[in-house]
Amino acid sequence: MKRTQQLLWGLAIMTGCGVLASQPAWSFSIDFDDAETNYRTYTNDPDPDALYSYGESAAIRALTDGDIKTNVELTYKSEVVSENVGFEATRGNHTAKISSVTTADWDEYGQVWMDDLFKRYNSLQTSWSGLSSSAQSVFTESFKSAGLGDPNIAEFSLQDDGAIAMQTVGFYDLRSVLSTRASAQLANYNTLQQLAGASPLQKAAVAAKAGITVAALEQQIASAPAVIEGLSALLTTIDSLKEELQASEVAKVERYENGILQSTEYAYTFEAVSSGLTALDDGESYSGLYSWTSPGTPQNSGVPEPSFLIASAVAGGFFSAAKRKQKKG
C-alpha cells in the first residue's frame, strides 16, 4: 500500500547552501512504497546517531526542503543495484516514477551513456578505441560499477505540464573514486594472472579460500589479461586528464500521463558545480551538484507558472535535457 503526502511548494531563491526564501506556492504529491525499505535520507546532522533517517516522511522533506545538504539515496544497501527503488510524484494527470537503475537498465541505456561520456571526454574515447574488444568491455564496466546507479537526490520538482527538475549530489571529480576502485581490481587480477601456471592443487586451495569453484577460478584467470589491459588503460587515461572527470549518478525516469506510460528517460549529466559540501560520514562525497531537467507538454495557458528552475539557476545550477559513491551517505 502507498501513502500520499500532499506537498506545498514555494518558489524559492536558492543560495549555494540551499537556503530558501518563500514565494507563492503550488502543490504536488509524492509516494514511496510503504513496503520498500531500501532508501534512506541523509540529514546532515552532526550527531552520528541522527545522520540518517528512514521512512517516507523524512524522504519527502529532503526532496522538497530546498536544502541540498539533505538528500534521499535510492538503494543504499548496496551499489550493486538488482531492483528499481524509488518514488512516484503526481501532479494533475502527470506522474513521474523516479528510481535507481539496475543492470538490466544499463543494458538499455549504457551504450548511449558511454557515447555521451566519450563526447565529453575525448581522451577516454581514444584510449577505449585502442583496446581489444574484451578489454573495451572491462573499460566500460568500470564506469557501470562506480556507484552511479544508486542516486542521491537532493531536490525534485514536477510541474503542471509534466516538466521535471532534479538535483543530485555526487563527486565533483570522479578521478580519485575510479582510480581507487580500478587499482584494487587491477591488483587482484595481477595476482590471478600469476596463478595461470599454478598446479591443480594450488588452484584448488585458492578457490576454496575464496569460496568459489575451481572452474570459476579458472574463468577469472583466463579473463585476467583482458581485465588488466582495460583497467591499465583506464588508469593511465584518468591520470593524464587535465580536468575534473565529472559524471552524475543516474536515475531512471518513467513518465505517465493519465496512467499511461509515455516515455522512459535516464537522468544524468557530465557537468557539475561545486556544492560547497562535504558529507559527514565519508568526508569527501557530495562535493558536486548535478542538475537535470526534462520538459513537459506545452500548455495553452498564457502565463507560465514560477518554477524550480529559477531557484536552481540562481544557485548556479545548470540543466541538461537528456535521453538521458563512492559515497555512501
Side-chain angles (χ1 to χ4, degrees):
M1 173 183 288
K2 293 187 176 181
R3 180 174 75 254
T4 300
Q5 178 167 334
Q6 194 70 18
L7 309 170
L8 292 179
W9 272 65
L11 173 65
I13 302 302
M14 184 188 256
T15 70
C17 291
V19 179
L20 296 179
S22 294
Q23 299 289 328
W26 64 85
S27 63
F28 65 99
S29 64
I30 290 180
D31 272 335
F32 280 83
D33 188 340
D34 285 348
E36 179 58 71
T37 61
N38 199 2
Y39 67 91
R40 71 178 174 186
T41 300
Y42 180 88
T43 67
N44 198 51
D45 192 311
D47 179 356
D49 294 330
L51 187 57
Y52 310 113
S53 184
Y54 301 86
E56 181 180 63
S57 296
I60 291 175
R61 283 196 300 273
L63 291 172
T64 61
D65 61 5
D67 187 349
I68 61 172
K69 296 189 298 296
T70 62
N71 69 77
V72 179
E73 181 172 15
L74 306 178
T75 314
Y76 77 89
K77 296 177 182 177
S78 172
E79 289 189 349
V80 179
V81 182
S82 58
E83 61 181 354
N84 299 111
V85 173
F87 61 91
E88 291 185 359
T90 300
R91 184 169 182 170
N93 62 349
H94 294 282
T95 296
K97 183 177 181 180
I98 313 299
S99 64
S100 53
V101 296
T102 65
T103 297
D105 294 326
W106 173 264
D107 291 340
E108 178 177 305
Y109 82 91
Q111 186 57 58
V112 175
W113 187 92
M114 290 301 299
D115 290 344
D116 288 343
L117 176 72
F118 288 158
K119 289 174 185 175
R120 174 66 181 84
Y121 297 100
N122 292 330
S123 58
L124 292 176
Q125 168 77 74
T126 301
S127 296
W128 181 87
S129 298
L131 299 174
S132 65
S133 59
S134 296
Q136 285 178 343
S137 297
V138 173
F139 193 101
T140 300
E141 288 290 313
S142 297
F143 288 94
K144 172 185 170 183
S145 61
L148 300 181
D150 54 342
N152 289 77
I153 304 175
E155 291 300 311
F156 179 84
S157 169
L158 176 65
Q159 304 198 30
D160 273 342
D161 62 356
I164 297 170
M166 181 162 49
Q167 289 185 311
T168 62
V169 287
F171 283 94
Y172 184 73
D173 187 352
L174 276 172
R175 285 179 295 183
S176 62
V177 178
L178 282 172
S179 291
T180 298
R181 297 189 179 193
S183 295
Q185 285 184 298
L186 183 61
N188 288 337
Y189 275 89
N190 277 326
T191 300
L192 281 168
Q193 191 172 46
Q194 295 172 7
L195 290 172
S199 69
L201 188 60
Q202 289 173 315
K203 290 179 180 178
V206 171
K209 186 176 181 180
I212 60 176
T213 65
V214 173
L217 178 65
E218 291 283 12
Q219 289 180 338
Q220 292 182 6
I221 293 172
S223 68
V227 174
I228 292 170
E229 180 188 359
L231 293 177
S232 297
L234 177 64
L235 287 167
T236 299
T237 308
I238 291 174
D239 288 342
S240 67
L241 276 178
K242 304 300 183 185
E243 60 179 323
E244 295 87 0
L245 178 57
Q246 296 178 337
S248 70
E249 296 176 333
V250 184
K252 185 176 184 178
V253 180
E254 297 169 282
R255 305 173 63 136
Y256 296 81
E257 190 168 348
N258 295 317
I260 300 173
L261 180 64
Q262 303 295 312
S263 65
T264 298
E265 303 171 80
Y266 291 92
Y268 60 86
T269 180
F270 300 104
E271 299 289 343
V273 294
S274 176
S275 68
L277 302 177
T278 300
L280 298 177
D281 52 356
D282 65 14
E284 59 178 350
S285 58
Y286 299 162
S287 55
L289 179 64
Y290 295 86
S291 299
W292 179 88
T293 61
S294 184
T297 304
Q299 300 291 292
N300 294 324
S301 57
V303 181
E305 188 173 359
S307 96
F308 173 74
L309 301 184
I310 297 175
S312 297
V314 171
F318 65 90
F319 302 93
S320 299
K323 184 177 136 182
R324 41 165 207 337
K325 218 147 322 111
Q326 166 158 27
K327 164 245 101 273
K328 284 282 133 198

